[in-house]
Amino acid sequence: MSRGCVGDEGRVATVVRADDVATFSSTSAGHLVVFDGRLGPLRTELMLAGPFDRIEDHAGGAATAKRLPELLLALRRGGVLSVVLPGAGSARARVDVAVAECVELGWAEVVAADPSVPASMRVELRALTGTLALVREQQMDRLLASVPETGREIHRVAGESDPATTIGSFRSPDLVLRELADVICAPRMLCVQGARVLSPSFRRPLQQRPVNKALDVVAPGRARDPGLRAQEHLPGAWYYLDNAVPSHFGHVVTEQLATTWAIEAAAAAHPDLRFLLYTRTGEFPRWHQRMLAAAGVDLDRVTARVVTEGPVAVEHLLAATPGYAVGQYAHPLLRELYPAVGDRLAQNASSPTGRRIFWTRDSPKRACRNRAEVEARFAAAGFDVLAPESLDIAEQIAAVRSADVVAGFSGSNMFHVAFAPQLRQVIALASTTYPADNEPFLTRLHGVPLSLLRGRALTEPSSASGIDLEAFHSDYEIDLADVDSVLADLD
């Protein structure tokens, strides 16, 4: 595929069928986009070269209607899409429907085409809204290669395949530290560069349709432009430590710490490296500070912005692929990272060794209705029933690292197991409507057996299509016979 220079009209693209490349490549001005019948590659090409001021769709065929909104959303606001219409019949009717839908949604208006071209042959639309392309982790290498001004790669750790287990087989992706140029960072983990939302904005890098709650996604791979305006410019190099849920223990462990693997490489490239994150108040709790420090973060170099302060423009953003993604993968390097953080946190704390711990959960969300009976069963089996929030963070980590068996109600209070490779058994209790995705991955890191006891949820999903939020946080009851069974199997 060749890319011509853009003329006075601005950035222009011509879309052709694969079998027409030879005839168009020598005559077409601007960017040539070859359509082979698949929308995925088309979206990628539009993301890499866009946004455009004008797009000419000459590819024709039955897929014209499907392409139309994809091409329209790749335009700048005010840009024009010119579509060569298929002949009469169902294909033409589908294009008419697509045009009407785009107009109804407020995405476009029909404009007068070249009067020398019959209206039956072409339709032209002016884009009324601007969108941003969503760049997935798998597309970042292509982006840096195609658009070098985006940034550069600094360090890479190869991904690995994990064999089939109770949670199925999965492959961890390559973890990459990238230096990204001139990025606007906004609250809620949003990183925008020009007309693209970059991959550090997404908690789950392998999602085919990435999600960030700060975005209004209007179509696959496209979100409405939120019109971010930087309130301040941050010169120099900044390591990106933002989190979708600031200072939440579970998200700190599984998402924030999992991006600290590249700090050493980032500091080697930029000795003056600073750290950027958003908080609710401009400060973050002492336990959170200590966890970051144990992961190699120089707290004197941290800028904790208040979410209400708005976006900032960062000259050089150092962003690392997270080593962990909920329900997707846990990269093997975490087998060293988490215990090393645990070593530093617990070095001045002591706890009896060989003990059994039951982490209780005192929360209105996902409450175990027969909690007292469950805790009594575990206490009778020699477990110390503890509330993690009642202990200092160092004491929490020390307690888990000195234990043989850890049990508890599923959720972030069980994530301590990531720091404890010596465990012989983990027992987690959850409702049938709570996914409990994390415990299987975190125990799998260290090869620790997991028993997951499912209790009857008192709130069922409102539809068969999936778990809604109310069911996700449903109260539940654990079958005490299941508890007795798993305790009987302990050594």
Side-chain angles (χ1 to χ4, degrees), residues 137 157-160 170-176 202-203 205-206 239 253-262 319-326 328-335 337-338 441-442 445:
E137 175 67 24
V157 178
E160 294 185 26
F170 64 88
R171 177 172 176 79
S172 303
D174 286 3
L175 304 186
V176 186
F202 309 117
R203 296 170 52 209
L206 301 187
Y239 198 95
V253 172
T254 58
E255 296 172 2
Q256 199 167 51
L257 290 186
T259 64
T260 62
W261 62 267
T321 311
Y324 182 88
V326 178
Q328 293 185 340
Y329 65 85
H331 195 282
L333 65 72
L334 297 180
R335 294 171 186 155
L337 188 151
Y338 282 137
F441 280 91
L442 296 178
L445 273 175

Side-chain angles (χ1 to χ4, degrees), residues 227-238:
L228 299 179
R229 297 292 181 268
Q231 305 300 308
E232 184 180 349
H233 178 254
L234 301 182
W238 296 77

Side-chain angles (χ1 to χ4, degrees), residues 431-434 455-460 471 474-477:
S431 77
T432 51
T433 55
Y434 179 68
R456 181 180 63 85
L458 303 187
T459 302
E460 293 297 326
S474 172
D475 291 354
Y476 61 99
E477 291 184 356

Side-chain angles (χ1 to χ4, degrees), residues 156-286:
R156 180 181 293 259
V157 178
E160 294 185 26
S161 294
D162 205 43
T165 65
T166 54
I167 57 175
S169 60
F170 64 88
R171 177 172 176 79
S172 303
D174 286 3
L175 304 186
V176 186
L177 173 65
R178 301 181 179 94
E179 178 182 326
L180 306 170
D182 301 319
V183 178
I184 293 182
C185 294
R188 302 174 75 181
M189 203 174 156
L190 190 58
C191 299
V192 175
Q193 184 190 62
R196 304 179 184 95
V197 180
L198 300 182
S199 62
S201 305
F202 309 117
R203 296 170 52 209
R204 299 182 180 180
L206 301 187
Q207 279 184 316
Q208 291 300 307
R209 296 191 176 186
V211 175
N212 183 308
K213 292 184 179 180
L215 295 171
D216 177 16
V217 176
V218 295
R222 290 277 165 181
R224 198 179 305 278
D225 187 349
L228 299 179
R229 297 292 181 268
Q231 305 300 308
E232 184 180 349
H233 178 254
L234 301 182
W238 296 77
Y239 198 95
Y240 194 56
L241 279 178
D242 201 25
N243 192 288
V245 187
S247 292
H248 180 287
F249 179 80
H251 289 270
V252 169
V253 172
T254 58
E255 296 172 2
Q256 199 167 51
L257 290 186
T259 64
T260 62
W261 62 267
I263 288 177
E264 187 175 337
H270 292 279
D272 59 346
L273 185 70
R274 296 184 64 83
F275 299 87
L276 175 65
L277 56 83
Y278 278 89
T279 67
R280 292 186 175 92
T281 63
E283 299 180 353
F284 51 113
R286 177 62 179 158

Side-chain angles (χ1 to χ4, degrees), residues 25-96:
S25 59
S26 61
T27 60
S28 175
H31 186 78
L32 182 66
V33 180
V34 178
F35 178 66
D36 66 356
R38 297 174 298 161
L39 288 178
L42 177 66
R43 292 182 192 126
T44 298
E45 289 303 314
L46 295 173
M47 175 273 291
L48 292 172
F52 298 95
D53 296 286
R54 183 176 179 86
I55 297 177
E56 297 271 352
D57 182 3
H58 294 263
T64 302
K66 289 184 177 180
R67 286 195 308 277
L68 190 145
E70 305 275 349
L71 300 176
L72 180 67
L73 293 174
L75 291 166
R76 288 189 177 89
R77 184 182 286 107
V80 173
L81 169 63
S82 179
V83 179
V84 174
L85 296 170
S90 61
R92 170 60 189 273
R94 286 194 293 270
V95 172
D96 291 341

Side-chain angles (χ1 to χ4, degrees), residues 249 253-254 291 324 334-335 338-339 342 357 359 396-428 437-450:
F249 179 80
V253 172
T254 58
M291 294 193 81
Y324 182 88
L334 297 180
R335 294 171 186 155
Y338 282 137
I357 294 174
W359 288 130
Q396 295 177 36
I397 301 302
V400 171
R401 288 165 62 83
S402 64
D404 289 332
V405 183
V406 170
F409 299 114
S410 184
S412 59
N413 58 314
M414 289 294 291
F415 294 179
H416 301 75
V417 300
F419 305 101
Q422 86 294 336
L423 290 171
R424 293 189 299 106
Q425 178 79 25
V426 171
I427 305 168
D437 287 327
N438 294 287
E439 290 87 348
F441 280 91
L442 296 178
T443 53
R444 173 63 188 160
L445 273 175
H446 304 307
V448 177
L450 169 68

